[in-house]
Amino acid sequence: MSEDPNGAASAAPALRQRLAQVRGVSVPPRPLDARALAALAANPGCHRRALLDGAGVDKPRLAEALGVPSGFGQSQFAFMRGHAFEARVKADGGAELLRLAHACLGGGPAPDGGGEVPCLAAPGQAERVARTEEALREAAGRRGGWTLLDHPMLALEVAGSDAFLEPDAIVVHPDGGWSVVEIKSFPMLDGSADAAKVGAAARQAAVYVLALEEAADRLAERLGGTPAVRHQVLLVCPKDFSNLPTGAAVDVRKQRAVTRRQLSRLTRVEDVAAALPPGVCFDPDRPPDELLRAVESVPASYAPECLSACELAFHCRERARAAGDVTALGRSVRGELGGLTSVEEVLTAAASPDGAGDGGDPGTDATVAALRRAARLRAEALATAGAGAPDRGPGCR
């Protein structure tokens, strides 16, 4: 059977229209950034997040409307401090940033002051992507010099729809290599920073690297070859307790591979949207009971890690606890329990006598045997504690 050449072209507007109806036609879409994509890749089985992020639903407002505000966000002071630090790093044509890029990543002769900083302004996101790719093409033709792209726009296909991403900067080295730059306001003390924050920055930068690789593939024919996208990104932070910038090279190959694999596993957004009941809409201005039914119509996959990554995590945690879902205890616990998916099933298996309650031979079910042994040990410990500790004589504690 031959494929309809116009099928993809006609499907894209239809999908956009369907997602706009899901979001609320009068509600502007919330852009899907690299931080959200990194969190989405960490939990690819969550259809709820895939749909809400793909449709551009404002999840913070939705969480407030449901009565479970997320508490996410950055203080105004922290935002202003980060903005001022980034402006300082990029001042004078990015002279300091390019110096750090050369010191940490190499890629050619040391920059003599600032580099070429092309204008990337355009009326829309798709137009900004096109302008960014044109600037990358022009920079590739100027081998021997440094080019700094300040807040470029990249596109990455995620679950059948495009996500538009805006890294802090991209550096084109004199040798033709491309590097992603992440500028963060947390300090780097004695050459090292908080491992958790660096890890989060690496996962976010890995998403940018994937998007930049897609841009390189699209430009390969026009450039006569695929440009080299570096898997080491430049992390720029304040040095010690000052406002002076310092940098470090962060290898994101592992994060890139994990993110690519997880994003490829995401259920396509159109498939999730097609399974919705008629009339489902996530407009935060709708009545709370209607929003609750809409949210519950999409399956979720909750884990405790969601609390630091998703605005709806508190709502999903309440529902998981109410349903007695063992995923509320963590993915590692869920993996250890095998086919037991609810707390009630776990307690029944632990309390049942040998040969009952598990639907099979207890000698062949290691999970049930371990639960029973843990229950016996707990009962023995409680019995010992209830009997009281033996008297060890005066002066003993």
Side-chain angles (χ1 to χ4, degrees):
M1 180 182 294
S2 61
E3 294 185 0
D4 180 5
N6 298 321
S10 60
L15 175 60
R16 286 195 293 269
Q17 182 179 3
R18 178 68 179 117
L19 294 181
Q21 294 170 349
V22 168
R23 180 181 65 249
V25 178
S26 62
V27 180
R30 186 180 179 89
L32 185 60
D33 58 17
R35 184 175 302 172
L37 275 180
L40 186 58
N43 191 6
C46 187
H47 292 188
R48 184 176 296 169
R49 173 148 199 172
L51 176 66
L52 296 180
D53 283 345
V57 174
D58 191 337
K59 293 200 302 295
R61 283 188 61 201
L62 180 60
E64 290 183 5
L66 291 172
V68 282
S70 64
F72 278 65
Q74 191 178 42
S75 70
Q76 188 66 21
F77 172 75
F79 177 80
M80 293 176 62
R81 181 182 60 186
H83 185 74
F85 177 70
E86 181 177 337
R88 176 169 186 165
V89 171
K90 295 178 177 177
D92 302 322
E96 185 64 18
L97 191 153
L98 296 179
R99 183 190 68 79
L100 293 172
H102 175 263
C104 298
L105 304 176
D112 182 16
E116 191 77 23
V117 185
C119 176
L120 303 178
Q125 291 179 319
E127 291 78 9
R128 287 186 61 193
V129 170
R131 179 67 193 102
T132 295
E133 293 186 0
E134 182 64 23
L136 287 169
R137 187 193 65 78
E138 294 170 354
R142 291 193 300 265
R143 286 214 172 207
W146 292 84
T147 301
L148 171 65
L149 274 63
D150 185 8
H151 283 287
M153 182 68 73
L154 303 172
L156 179 66
E157 183 179 346
V158 179
S161 61
D162 282 335
F164 295 100
L165 311 173
E166 187 176 342
D168 293 326
I170 293 173
V171 170
V172 180
H173 299 254
D175 65 0
W178 298 354
S179 296
V180 170
V181 179
E182 272 289 281
I183 302 175
K184 297 297 184 183
S185 58
F186 57 80
M188 196 174 292
L189 306 175
D190 294 328
S192 62
D194 181 270
K197 293 180 179 179
V198 173
R203 289 189 294 272
Q204 185 174 338
V207 177
Y208 295 137
V209 170
L210 287 174
L212 189 57
E213 287 176 340
E214 287 196 1
D217 290 339
R218 287 192 292 269
L219 292 172
E221 184 176 351
R222 299 172 64 186
L223 295 176
T226 304
V229 177
R230 295 173 181 264
H231 294 156
Q232 280 191 324
V233 304
L234 177 64
L235 176 63
V236 180
C237 299
K239 182 179 181 181
D240 299 326
F241 298 101
S242 69
N243 200 34
L244 299 175
T246 187
V250 179
D251 194 323
V252 299
R253 281 177 294 183
K254 179 180 178 181
Q255 292 85 351
R256 172 194 167 278
V258 170
T259 301
R260 176 179 286 280
R261 182 173 66 253
Q262 298 291 65
L263 289 179
S264 67
R265 292 172 54 198
L266 286 174
T267 303
R268 296 179 68 85
V269 173
E270 57 261 42
D271 296 337
V272 181
L276 290 176
V280 167
C281 180
F282 298 95
D283 186 341
D285 292 328
R286 295 205 168 194
D289 57 340
E290 185 176 332
L291 286 176
L292 180 61
R293 287 194 297 271
V295 169
E296 292 303 310
S297 68
V298 188
S301 178
Y302 171 77
E305 294 87 348
C306 297
L307 293 173
S308 61
C310 181
E311 294 84 352
L312 287 179
F314 292 107
H315 169 80
C316 296
R317 182 178 65 176
E318 286 183 4
R319 293 290 165 169
R321 287 177 173 176
D325 195 336
V326 295
T327 56
L329 304 176
R331 289 195 179 96
S332 60
V333 176
R334 173 68 185 87
E336 292 288 341
L337 292 174
L340 303 175
T341 59
S342 71
V343 174
E344 183 178 358
E345 289 178 350
V346 172
L347 296 178
T348 300
S352 61
D354 290 348
D358 59 347
D361 181 1
T364 63
D365 194 329
T367 301
V368 173
L371 287 170
R372 290 173 182 165
R373 183 171 182 273
R376 287 196 300 270
L377 292 175
R378 178 179 181 275
E380 292 171 5
L382 291 176
T384 302
D391 187 4
R392 298 179 180 176
C396 295
R397 298 193 178 190

